Amino acid sequence: MPFVFDPTPQASVAVANSPDRFPVRRIFCVGRNYAAHAREMGKDPDREPPFFFTKPADAVADSPCTVPYPPLTEDLHHEIELVIAIGKGGANIAPDAVTDHIWGAGVGIDLTRRDLQAEAKKMGRPWDWAKAFDFSAPMSPLVPFADVASIEAGRIWLAVNGETRQDADISDLIWPVRDHIAYLSQAMSLAPGDLIMTGTPAGVGAVHLGDVMTGGVDGIGEIEVTIGDRD
Ligand code: MN
């Protein structure tokens, strides 16, 4: 059956040391998954179960890259995050079985229009305009790995123009990878190609035209993103 026009190309992310690409289906993001970041956003980290928001698959961009300063904001923030790539789908996945569903991992930046997010929170509106804009999910190349236990610790960091802004450890996650993916899979089925941005540590802040963000997760990879002109 023909389409009425050519479908949009499949969104995808690079795979480290390979010509292959990881096809992206959905991007799920965990909110406030590090206690110090929850506190800097004015929340009590001990009282909330994990919650999620999403970005569209075509928000990805391959590091290293220049992304345009997005419209409608004067307060664009960086959030460095460990990214988990799903290779096998499922629902109601038990924490101990999460490893069987993971293809690999990478490093992403959850770019955020913080002023629009603050307005959405105040008005009780969705976060889409704050989080789900074009180029809002730049990603490092993904690396395959064998066991979720191999990413339960490791330094996560981000610098702007060489100055460290975020510096923490994956072991600080309030809801570790196996737990928040199990929880997510109770709400909706996961499928191959899903990416999960696992939350950002403290130290989020603004970036401006010409700024260069560098960041990484030890043992997983590094990312470099420059802020370009508004489209
Ligand atoms: Mn985030």
Side-chain angles (χ1 to χ4, degrees):
M1 190 186 307
F3 294 109
V4 296
F5 49 78
D6 290 339
T8 303
Q10 169 68 52
S12 65
V13 176
V15 172
N17 306 312
S18 169
D20 296 341
R21 297 188 62 82
F22 182 90
V24 180
R25 188 187 79 124
R26 295 179 182 173
I27 305 173
F28 297 99
C29 308
V30 188
R32 294 192 286 264
N33 204 13
Y34 291 81
H37 174 63
R39 289 191 201 99
E40 78 178 349
M41 299 307 286
K43 298 293 178 182
D44 180 345
D46 299 324
R47 299 179 62 182
E48 293 180 350
F51 71 94
F52 293 80
F53 57 91
T54 60
K55 292 174 184 268
D58 65 358
V60 295
D62 278 330
S63 167
C65 57
T66 296
V67 301
Y69 195 100
L72 300 183
T73 184
E74 301 301 332
D75 197 21
L76 178 66
H77 275 210
H78 56 77
E79 297 190 355
I80 190 76
E81 311 206 359
L82 168 70
V83 178
I84 302 297
I86 299 294
K88 180 185 161 196
N92 298 310
I93 301 166
D96 287 348
V98 163
T99 285
D100 302 336
H101 295 263
I102 293 177
W103 182 89
V107 183
I109 301 177
D110 168 15
L111 287 171
T112 301
R113 296 192 282 209
R114 193 71 73 200
D115 42 3
L116 296 192
Q117 187 191 33
E119 185 181 2
K121 287 178 179 176
K122 193 171 73 181
M123 305 289 282
R125 289 176 180 160
W127 284 11
D128 302 55
W129 280 29
K131 292 288 196 178
F133 52 91
D134 298 342
F135 308 105
S136 61
M139 297 277 168
S140 75
L142 303 179
V143 292
F145 71 85
D147 192 325
V148 71
S150 67
I151 46 137
E152 287 182 337
R155 184 183 177 223
I156 179 170
W157 60 277
L158 180 136
V160 179
N161 303 328
E163 179 188 323
T164 301
R165 296 266 191 95
Q166 297 185 270
D167 197 349
D169 198 279
I170 297 301
S171 61
D172 297 335
L173 282 171
I174 298 170
W175 296 89
V177 167
R178 71 178 76 227
D179 292 338
H180 72 242
I181 290 179
Y183 183 87
L184 172 62
S185 76
Q186 296 172 12
M188 56 201 88
S189 297
L190 298 179
D194 288 346
L195 295 176
I196 294 145
M197 304 188 77
T198 61
T200 199
V204 300
V207 285
H208 305 96
L209 178 63
D211 283 349
V212 180
M213 297 174 282
T214 50
V217 175
D218 281 358
I220 301 294
E222 296 197 355
I223 187 169
E224 179 181 316
V225 180
T226 301
I227 302 297
D229 282 317
R230 284 194 200 263
D231 261 349

